Amino acid sequence: MRMSRILPDGRGVVFAFDHGVEHGPKDFPPDRVNPRVIIEKVVEAGVDAIMMLPGIARLTHDIWGGKVAAIIKVTSKTNLRPKEERLRQSAFGYVEDAVALGADAVAATVYWGSQYEDEMLERWFAVRSAAEAYGLPCLQLAYPRGPAISNMYDVEIVRYGARAAAESGADLIKTYYTGSKETFAEVVKAASGVPVLMSGGPSRPKPIDFLRDVYSVMLAGGKGVVVGRNVFQHPDPVGMARAIIKVVHEGLEPEEAVKEVKG
Ligand code: FBP
């Protein structure tokens, strides 16, 4: 039931909105620092789900409740930490908080390859087993990054993370785009049937470039996208979200979908 709210036709567009802690308020354009402003826009655009930390859910539930699925992320870290400590995420709430908030799923990050992999796996499995008891799907942000990884977008590295995510019991995998349809198909294959969603990444100057990546992901067998900055930093977030939705759910070509975007 819950998975079908996130991937209504087997595919989904999830709005990622955990940046206030991960990157700080500098990520938000000055007119959108209040989370309610942007949440209103993505709900209007018709995203399938919003991935957020517990506090944002409390502050905005009256906008998305009953309209859009909620994925509560229960790990995070700040960039205020010393650099070498940024390769671990801490507990940022508990599965019970997500249940109390009426969540459809929980999310947690694992930095595969980090020197703190051990600690993050302990946390992942604690989240995984608590969520299992409530029937809550677990989205894993399967991000390979660590001292031994020189290129975290390399297909060998990304598919390793996707495979490890599948083997650790993820119900949904969010990971990096590897740059082409062919390489992303390898990532999808490694995930062995667990739905793979592309992580958005930094804002692309031209919306068409982002839409082309999303299109390739779908052709590669990906099940959608978990996108933040490419929507909330764009001057027309509603148009941008609508364009992405059209590519993911209707298979519209990027050149057509981009017509939704103003400016
Ligand atoms: P974006 O689409 O903005 O990249 O959001 C996806 C996301 O994974 C967020 O969930 C998270 O806060 C951020 O990117 C992580 O960014 P970084 O790569 O700097 O750690």
Side-chain angles (χ1 to χ4, degrees), residues 3 18 20 77 80 107 122 142 145 179 223 230 241-242 245 250 253:
M3 281 289 270
D18 56 332
K77 59 114 185 53
L80 299 171
E122 291 275 348
R145 48 177 92 170
K223 298 299 178 196
N230 275 281
R242 285 199 176 129
I245 291 166
E250 295 172 28
E253 301 210 345

Side-chain angles (χ1 to χ4, degrees), residues 16 18-19 22-23 51 77 141 143 145 174 199-201 226-229:
D18 56 332
H19 305 68
E22 298 237 345
H23 296 163
M51 185 189 77
K77 59 114 185 53
L141 293 87
Y143 288 177
R145 48 177 92 170
K174 167 183 195 288
S199 186
V226 186
V227 53
R229 287 165 286 182

Side-chain angles (χ1 to χ4, degrees), residues 86-89 108-122 124-125 139-152 156-170 172-176:
R86 293 182 201 160
L87 288 173
R88 62 148 59 106
Q89 294 222 347
T109 298
V110 177
Y111 294 137
W112 294 102
S114 154
Q115 60 273 45
Y116 306 111
E117 196 184 72
D118 185 41
E119 184 188 306
M120 298 195 68
L121 282 175
E122 291 275 348
W124 165 259
F125 281 108
L139 181 154
Q140 185 180 117
L141 293 87
Y143 288 177
R145 48 177 92 170
I149 296 173
S150 53
N151 177 8
M152 59 196 198
E156 268 317 311
I157 301 290
V158 177
R159 77 184 191 123
Y160 198 154
R163 179 55 181 241
E167 297 214 19
S168 59
L172 291 157
I173 299 171
K174 167 183 195 288
T175 196
Y176 306 132

